[in-house]
Amino acid sequence: MSFRATDRKIWDTTATLEALGAADVALWIWEPEADRLRVNGAARALGLGPLAPECSSAAFRALALPQDRAQAEEVLKFREPGSEVVARLRMRGFETCIWRGVWLEEGVRAAGVVAPEVKFAASERCDLTGLLDRKSFIARARERLTHDGVHELVVADVDRLRRLNEALGHERADLVLAALGSRLAAAFPAGSIMGRIGEDEFAVLCEPQGFEPAEILRKALEQPLRVAGFDIHPTLSIGAVSAEGGEDAPEATELLRRAELAVEAASSAGRGGAAAYGRSMETDGLSRLALEADLRGAIARGEITPYFQPVVRLSTGALSGFEALARWLHPRRGMLPPDEFLPLIEEMGLMSELGEHMMRTAGAQLAAWRRSHPAVGALTVSVNLSTGEIDRPGLVHDVAEVLRVNKLPRGALKLEVTESDIMRDPERAAVILRTLRDAGAGLALDDFGTGFSSLQYLTRLPFDTLKVDRYFVRTMGSNPGSAKIVRSVVKLGQDLDLEVVAEGVENAEMAAALQALGCDYGQGFGYAPALSPQEAEVYLNEAYVDGAAPVKARG
């Protein structure tokens, strides 16, 4: 088929402007010598109606939101011919738009197009959850903050997502995130802005009227779910910040930065934490850089050392042993808790060095107690293996050497292994664990109950101890689901002839409840926090003189 020239449709000016208007796009031309900005196309839809068909630079600046006037200047600023113009700004009462153009060859005018920000993005939503992606969430939040009223931004970080990925694989972990996204979308009132703003971060911006956004978010996302045969119990670290909307509202990216600072503060308090933004958080970034510099060489200098938390037999109150926990006695800042430096150690690749140091130091301390206190009998010490340390070359040799040098009997040194380390490669883990047991180490599966383990593999692995995660122990009195998990883990330990240790015991009431379930051992602040070697020895002496380790009546 052929066409005659007269059959071709000719694009005239009117047709071009109609097409641009239908697509929510406008053309602009800026002539600085004449102080004239011309706008054609979808001017009204983009909030540019008062400027069309032409206006002065002063009128253009006045229509832009105050916090975006610096971006308006980017459009107006004179540049060399061929220079590109890119700016993102909002006009009063309208959404963010992208201005793109170029200074023409004669250098006396610039021309280009303006369109809503989402027109320039390939997609504004996360493919996995259907929620807004980070860029689009910020764009929507920026527009929403122009409205008067109190707005609250809540950000939730899914705790231990890395372990979830390692245990289940990325495809199954993605199913978890997709389910969390669906729950979030259904939990908040219409008009709330919701997004997945990072690999493991969700955000909500809303106007809280008669409800608490953080509570709604936690209630929606911390419900158990079952994925690919695994029971998953998500926990969140939540940060929140409030702001007044209107012309003086903070920039959306700044508000998000504040909420994420609060998330970091919540994470430092442990799983399931929450924090509201405060000015004191602003120094954390600089503090982190200084801490990283101080950390280099801190292990070799002996600044990082084991502190010992008692492990007590619940039925008799007798001291059974200690768990060795890393503490950093900083030469200027004093005692630092592990949440302040362990993430840095992991980022710097020093976890294996720390693990070996903890094992050798804790083993030597246990041997010293056994020599000077014959009455301690079968006292043990537990040391955590960091993520991936189970695959460290030389681990088995180091364990055997610690036992040999310190003349410790089999099982006196216990190694605590996380579920994620096991589930990454259960077959390989089984071989390594058997070799460690043959070398004389006791083996404990740490944080059991978080939902990543397969019972099929648990029956084939040479553990002698299960440790119930402190989150479930701490909440078993108020959360029926946590109580069921603790009861199930204790029963499982009994059926498999494994000792069960409950972490997070805060008072005598908790200890009695665990004992009633048949749990063997407990540890937590109800007995004592992690103690220095000197304090632990005093505790040891008092426990054996009194015949039982003291427990707080109430937490």
Side-chain angles (χ1 to χ4, degrees):
M1 183 181 293
S2 61
F3 292 96
R4 298 189 306 273
T6 54
D7 292 330
R8 297 190 185 115
K9 293 187 180 296
I10 306 300
W11 284 92
D12 58 18
T13 302
T14 301
T16 299
L17 293 178
E18 287 176 351
L20 291 171
D24 283 345
V25 178
L27 294 176
W28 59 269
I29 299 175
W30 165 233
E31 299 168 302
E33 291 184 356
D35 190 28
R36 180 171 59 207
L37 178 70
R38 290 188 283 171
V39 182
N40 285 297
R44 185 180 298 276
L46 300 178
L48 306 175
L51 305 181
E54 62 182 54
C55 67
S56 67
S57 59
F60 176 61
R61 293 188 189 96
L63 191 62
L65 285 177
Q67 55 265 48
D68 280 9
R69 283 175 186 162
Q71 288 293 308
E73 294 293 345
E74 290 296 311
V75 177
L76 302 174
K77 184 167 65 177
F78 182 84
R79 303 174 190 271
E80 293 295 319
S83 298
E84 186 178 6
V85 178
V86 179
R88 51 197 307 277
L89 62 115
R90 294 163 296 172
M91 297 301 166
R92 296 176 186 274
F94 287 83
E95 63 184 303
T96 301
C97 289
I98 303 293
W99 293 65
R100 303 197 69 163
V102 66
W103 281 88
L104 302 177
E105 292 181 3
E106 63 268 29
V108 296
R109 63 181 178 143
V113 297
V114 55
E117 184 175 45
V118 294
K119 294 286 185 181
F120 287 91
S123 172
E124 65 171 348
R125 296 195 176 269
C126 161
D127 293 335
L128 186 61
T129 63
L131 302 175
L132 294 172
D133 59 25
R134 186 182 183 93
K135 180 178 179 181
S136 300
F137 179 85
I138 291 173
R140 297 284 185 90
R142 181 179 290 117
E143 190 277 329
R144 178 64 58 82
L145 289 169
T146 62
H147 302 166
D148 292 335
V150 176
H151 303 269
E152 184 161 344
L153 175 61
V154 183
V155 174
D157 182 276
V158 181
D159 294 327
R160 304 189 307 174
L161 181 66
R162 182 185 301 177
R163 288 184 60 183
L164 187 65
N165 280 323
E166 291 171 348
L168 300 181
H170 285 281
E171 290 185 2
R172 289 172 175 171
D174 283 351
L175 292 176
V176 175
L177 291 171
L180 295 180
S182 297
R183 289 178 174 183
L184 182 65
F188 280 84
S192 302
I193 300 173
M194 291 164 283
R196 182 189 177 204
I197 59 170
E199 182 183 8
D200 55 358
E201 281 189 326
F202 295 93
V204 179
L205 180 69
C206 58
E207 297 181 48
Q209 297 178 348
F211 64 91
E212 176 55 51
E215 289 181 5
I216 290 182
L217 194 151
R218 191 181 295 282
K219 184 176 180 180
L221 301 192
E222 285 195 344
Q223 296 299 316
L225 65 155
R226 188 168 180 81
V227 173
F230 293 85
D231 291 319
I232 309 299
H233 299 269
T235 60
L236 309 174
S237 295
I238 297 178
V241 61
S242 297
E244 286 282 347
E247 290 189 4
D248 297 326
E251 165 61 28
T253 51
E254 168 62 16
L255 200 64
L256 186 57
R257 184 188 70 82
R258 295 176 187 175
E260 290 178 323
L261 276 178
V263 169
E264 290 182 17
S267 298
S268 68
R271 292 175 57 209
Y277 169 79
R279 290 287 182 185
S280 61
M281 296 177 183
E282 296 294 346
T283 61
D284 287 352
L286 294 175
S287 176
R288 179 184 172 90
L289 291 175
L291 206 61
E292 184 175 332
D294 292 342
L295 191 54
R296 299 185 185 279
I299 297 173
R301 292 191 299 268
E303 295 173 7
I304 299 179
T305 187
Y307 269 46
F308 299 89
Q309 185 171 46
V311 179
V312 175
R313 182 177 286 277
L314 293 171
S315 59
T316 64
L319 180 64
S320 171
F322 294 94
E323 180 180 355
L325 300 167
R327 296 293 185 267
W328 184 5
L329 186 56
H330 193 282
R332 294 185 305 278
R333 300 173 60 175
M335 181 61 65
L336 298 181
D339 290 331
E340 290 194 26
F341 65 88
L342 285 184
L344 276 177
I345 285 184
E346 185 172 2
E347 289 177 19
M348 296 166 68
L350 300 175
M351 288 301 277
S352 292
E353 181 183 343
L354 176 62
E356 182 181 355
H357 169 72
M358 290 288 291
M359 190 191 313
R360 292 186 184 279
T361 310
Q365 181 62 73
L366 177 62
W369 282 333
R370 280 175 167 263
R371 286 193 302 268
S372 60
H373 297 77
V376 300
L379 194 72
T380 63
V381 68
S382 300
V383 177
N384 292 282
L385 292 185
S386 62
T387 302
E389 194 178 357
I390 192 174
D391 296 316
R392 174 170 67 84
L395 174 62
V396 176
H397 172 269
D398 290 342
V399 169
E401 188 71 4
V402 168
L403 294 172
R404 184 189 66 81
V405 168
N406 295 292
K407 300 179 181 178
L408 293 172
R410 295 180 61 85
L413 175 66
K414 288 181 174 286
L415 302 180
E416 298 190 3
V417 188
T418 62
E419 292 186 71
S420 62
D421 258 4
I422 301 303
M423 296 309 295
R424 280 187 298 123
D425 189 345
E427 298 295 342
R428 173 173 169 74
V431 173
I432 296 172
L433 291 173
R434 290 190 189 99
T435 307
L436 288 168
R437 186 183 60 181
D438 292 342
L443 298 172
L445 184 56
D446 197 14
D447 294 343
F448 190 74
T450 50
F452 305 160
S453 289
S454 166
L455 297 182
Q456 172 190 356
Y457 285 113
L458 182 59
T459 59
R460 296 160 49 190
L461 296 170
F463 288 106
D464 49 60
T465 305
L466 295 181
K467 298 197 74 173
V468 189
D469 184 75
R470 64 175 51 84
Y471 174 79
F472 301 117
V473 175
R474 191 176 70 239
T475 59
M476 67 179 184
S478 58
N479 186 328
S482 293
K484 290 178 182 177
I485 290 170
V486 175
R487 188 161 50 247
S488 298
V489 174
V490 172
K491 182 65 167 61
L492 179 64
Q494 293 170 341
D495 292 343
L496 297 178
D497 198 24
L498 302 175
E499 295 179 338
V500 179
V501 180
E503 298 182 295
V505 179
E506 297 179 352
N507 53 51
E509 184 180 2
M510 274 189 187
L514 290 163
Q515 183 187 348
L517 292 176
C519 185
D520 301 298
Y521 300 96
Q523 70 179 94
F525 280 86
Y527 292 104
L531 305 170
S532 69
Q534 296 77 20
E535 293 169 328
E537 184 161 6
V538 172
Y539 189 95
L540 186 157
N541 285 327
E542 292 177 347
Y544 277 95
V545 169
D546 296 339
V551 59
K552 292 180 182 177
R554 307 182 73 172

